[in-house]
Amino acid sequence: MVTFDVNDLSYDKAAGWTNYPSNITRQQFELIRPALENFRKRTKPRKYDLYEVFCAALYVLKTGCQWRQVPGDFPEWRSVYNYYKIWSTKAEPTADSLLEQVFKKIVIARRTYQGRSALTSFIIVDAQSVKNTATAENKGYDAGKKISGIKRHLAVDINGFPQAIHMTRANVSDRDGASAMIALHAMHLRQVQNVLVDGGYSGVNFQLDVASNLNATVQVAKRNELHRFEVMPQRWVVELSFSWLENCRRLWKNCERQLTTSLQMVVLAFLALLLKRF
């Protein structure tokens, strides 16, 4: 029988379960609780506290464990997975899941909290190729980075907070993936006036895609001609965003079978990050 030391600060006396480092506080959860509770109407009381269910999903994300390995002091793992599946399912391919809807609201709330405009006028775009595990089904080969797996495309603001996220197979070029991401999230990016990219996005076609979807200009940040590493402050912001994902073991490699579930795990990671900053 597992016992806990009540003098241990990691043990929540009120809840009777371990306060894992991956957990958010109940005050932070209040920012998203109404959306999660009202997503589906119920005629009977819930069996589990949604806060504990959400923290269990964060535990899977942070530790990289299988759903069946969720500790016993969380709600039963099948219920946790079923809730996560409901929150991450898209009604149609181009629609946002509940997690994406909540994430965008939190991004806007965070920017407003900082005294900035709700929608950004400047984004930095980049992509990250990630290796697949044996369970992942969707994969392609990125010949440039010699990686077989998927590619994560991000558009972030000057603080590194994602404004758009998109997943493709690794064989899809950075330009094509970014163009698809911008087209899918054009409404949320409608205030963007300038897009900063690296040399991999140079070309007339990408500039035309950005101009037609956002009516924005593309600025290509070029390194100096000396072949040595040099930090470019604004370009480094998006690399910081990718490094935040690496704090989650579930995202060190692509463990998901489908691209859409890979997307939802990344969304969940950034959502937890933003909630912990309130």
Side-chain angles (χ1 to χ4, degrees), residues 244-261:
W244 288 339
L245 295 180
E246 294 177 359
N247 291 327
C248 302
R249 281 179 178 262
R250 183 84 176 198
L251 300 178
W252 283 4
K253 288 187 177 182
N254 175 43
C255 304
E256 316 306 323
R257 296 181 187 275
Q258 304 298 328
L259 289 176
T260 181
T261 51

Side-chain angles (χ1 to χ4, degrees), residues 127-171:
Q128 177 191 50
S129 294
V130 185
K131 292 181 180 179
N132 271 0
T133 60
T135 58
E137 294 180 355
N138 287 275
K139 67 178 181 180
Y141 185 71
D142 183 345
K145 298 180 180 177
K146 296 180 174 60
I147 290 177
S148 177
I150 66 167
K151 189 172 287 187
R152 299 168 181 159
H153 303 268
L154 283 187
V156 304
D157 62 12
I158 197 63
N159 292 320
F161 299 142
Q163 306 298 306
I165 307 172
H166 186 55
M167 297 290 163
T168 63
R169 293 181 175 87
N171 60 299

Side-chain angles (χ1 to χ4, degrees), residues 174-247:
D174 292 359
R175 288 189 298 270
D176 291 344
S179 294
M181 174 179 66
I182 289 172
L184 286 171
H185 298 274
M187 181 57 65
H188 187 68
L189 302 175
R190 60 185 180 275
Q191 298 294 333
V192 172
Q193 299 176 5
N194 195 9
V195 179
L196 180 64
V197 294
D198 63 17
Y201 295 85
S202 58
V204 176
N205 290 339
F206 179 69
Q207 294 180 8
L208 292 176
D209 289 340
V210 172
S212 62
N213 286 294
L214 303 179
N215 195 26
T217 59
V218 176
Q219 177 185 352
V220 180
K222 295 183 178 179
R223 298 189 183 276
N224 59 32
E225 298 303 322
L226 299 177
H227 296 285
R228 66 186 183 190
F229 177 79
E230 182 176 323
V231 173
M232 295 181 290
Q234 286 187 325
R235 280 288 308 153
W236 199 249
V237 172
V238 69
E239 301 298 339
L240 176 63
S241 302
F242 283 124
S243 71
W244 288 339
L245 295 180
E246 294 177 359
N247 291 327

Side-chain angles (χ1 to χ4, degrees), residues 86-102:
I86 291 171
W87 295 339
S88 61
T89 299
K90 294 173 176 281
E92 47 187 60
T94 57
D96 287 340
S97 68
L98 178 62
L99 284 179
E100 291 175 272
Q101 295 172 27
V102 170

Side-chain angles (χ1 to χ4, degrees), residues 115-134:
R116 308 173 71 88
S117 60
L119 299 178
T120 184
S121 61
F122 173 77
I123 57 173
I124 308 167
V125 174
D126 203 0
Q128 177 191 50
S129 294
V130 185
K131 292 181 180 179
N132 271 0
T133 60

Side-chain angles (χ1 to χ4, degrees), residues 1-8 10-11 16-18 20 73:
M1 180 178 180
V2 179
T3 60
F4 297 101
D5 181 1
V6 295
N7 295 317
D8 185 356
S10 67
Y11 182 73
W17 57 298
T18 306
Y20 294 98
D73 48 352

